[in-house]
Amino acid sequence: MKGFEYLQEQLEDMKKEGTFRNLIPLESAQGARVTIKGKEVIQLSSNNYLGLTSHPRMEKAAEEAIEKYGVGTGSVRTIAGTLKMHEDYERKLAEFKHTEAALVFQSGFTTNQGVLSSILTNDDVVISDELNHASIIDGIRLTKAGRKIYKHVDMESLEQALKETQEYRTRLVVTDGVFSMDGNIAPLPQIVELAEKYDALVMVDDAHASGVLGENGRGTVNHFGLDGRVHIQVGTLSKAIGVLGGYVASTQTLKDYLIHKGRPFLFSTSHPPAVTAACDASIDVLLEEPELIDKLWENTKFFKNGLKELGFDIGISETPITPVMVGDDALAHRFSDQLFEEGVFAQGIAFPTVQKGKARVRTIVTAEHSREDLQEALNAFEQAGKKLKIID
Ligand SMILES: Cc1ncc(COP(=O)(O)O)c(C=O)c1O
């Protein structure tokens, strides 16, 4: 069809640069090992931190919910699509997060978009870390609020931004809890102290910290002992929780406001019963099977040490997200392809997801990986790294 030639040209350029990527379908369930292109490989690219995408207790809850309530809800939450189970789950989630209330959105992406776009006006300003997730950036783009971007985890830069914005009604400092591409943790205690000093609000996106950090996976706020001092906790139900969705854990006031003004919440159909039932069961799993989180961290230490011993540059990560830095965009993709040859699925991440010159293969170990899986993966990294002269 004519009319998209200008898009085709850009795609051709990407192909020339070696940055064009096809989607890669899994032919098996998500897990420590998956089947891709007919080959079994070790999965190091999922966000399935605790292996909950196929936890038997959550599968059972989902199956029972389908039997009882069907596969869909047929409406948005505010018209006829709120099931009792949606509200029960939100209460349970708020209790788990030690907050007054919680509200579930369709995804983590729409949560950030919905919160940021609805609670700020041109009387307000949002102060955002330069490496925050795309959904935070897009949420900010949708507000009429003033914007200040501070240097990544740089507290002097944040303080400067707070000093320069004292005339605004509300100042909202927003940060990822764990940065998704580098795996470093935001310096939340310092952020909260500065926000308190300058009378600003704090919002944390715990997409990569829910189920990973804090007691039973309560997230970065709990990890740093800051319960009650962070105004808005956002998270996803699609990564460690293993299902789908996003949440805001905060006050009843914010929840009520978002029910009326959060556009993705208002104008998009509610989660199917199976999704909500599985998310609900995930809280029981987090509370009753803390050994999953222990295993995740044991695996993380083992794998990070192994990569370091092999001579790879693994950046500044402090969490199960471990980038293996290579620099050049095309090299990151070649490295990923070579790893696949060696039996490991670990995706290359290049511009525009990360800055030019900072391309990497990003790995995430999970609680499901066995020592043998991880040792085999390290052997594959050694082979591929040597072949491409990334290590000696
Ligand atoms: C920091 C961060 N926030 C939000 C999201 C979006 O979450 P979801 O996949 O549930 O839309 C992601 C996922 O990529 C993320 O990494």
Side-chain angles (χ1 to χ4, degrees), residues 107-109 112 133 135 176 178 180 205 207-208 236-239 245:
S107 70
F109 198 102
N112 278 326
H133 188 255
S135 52
D176 281 10
V178 170
S180 55
D205 174 1
H208 288 277
T236 175
L237 305 169
S238 331
K239 299 188 192 293

Side-chain angles (χ1 to χ4, degrees), residues 237-278:
L237 305 169
S238 331
K239 299 188 192 293
I241 306 308
V243 195
L244 174 73
Y247 64 82
V248 191
S250 180
T251 62
Q252 188 63 41
T253 302
L254 185 68
K255 175 172 175 162
D256 289 342
Y257 187 83
L258 291 171
I259 289 173
H260 291 85
K261 301 281 186 186
R263 290 170 73 82
F265 180 87
L266 277 166
F267 296 113
S268 187
T269 295
S270 56
H271 276 166
V275 167
T276 303

Side-chain angles (χ1 to χ4, degrees), residues 309-327:
E309 275 165 24
L310 288 171
F312 286 107
D313 171 5
I314 60 167
I316 52 169
S317 168
E318 304 159 80
T319 64
I321 299 172
T322 306
V324 181
M325 310 301 287
V326 300

Side-chain angles (χ1 to χ4, degrees), residues 8 18 26 71 74 87 97 99 114 178 196 222 231 233 246 353-354:
Q8 193 56 42
L26 304 190
V71 292
E87 294 199 322
K97 296 286 291 183
T99 57
V178 170
E196 287 173 351
N222 180 269
H231 303 78
Q233 295 181 58
T353 311
V354 292

Side-chain angles (χ1 to χ4, degrees), residues 339-375:
L339 284 166
F340 188 79
E341 291 299 309
E342 311 282 345
V344 166
F345 184 64
Q347 283 272 40
I349 311 265
F351 182 78
T353 311
V354 292
Q355 291 163 340
K356 279 245 181 259
K358 297 251 168 119
R360 65 204 61 186
V361 160
R362 187 183 68 151
T363 66
I364 300 183
V365 299
T366 72
E368 276 191 314
H369 288 111
S370 65
R371 256 318 129 83
E372 294 71 46
D373 293 332
L374 295 181
Q375 190 53 57

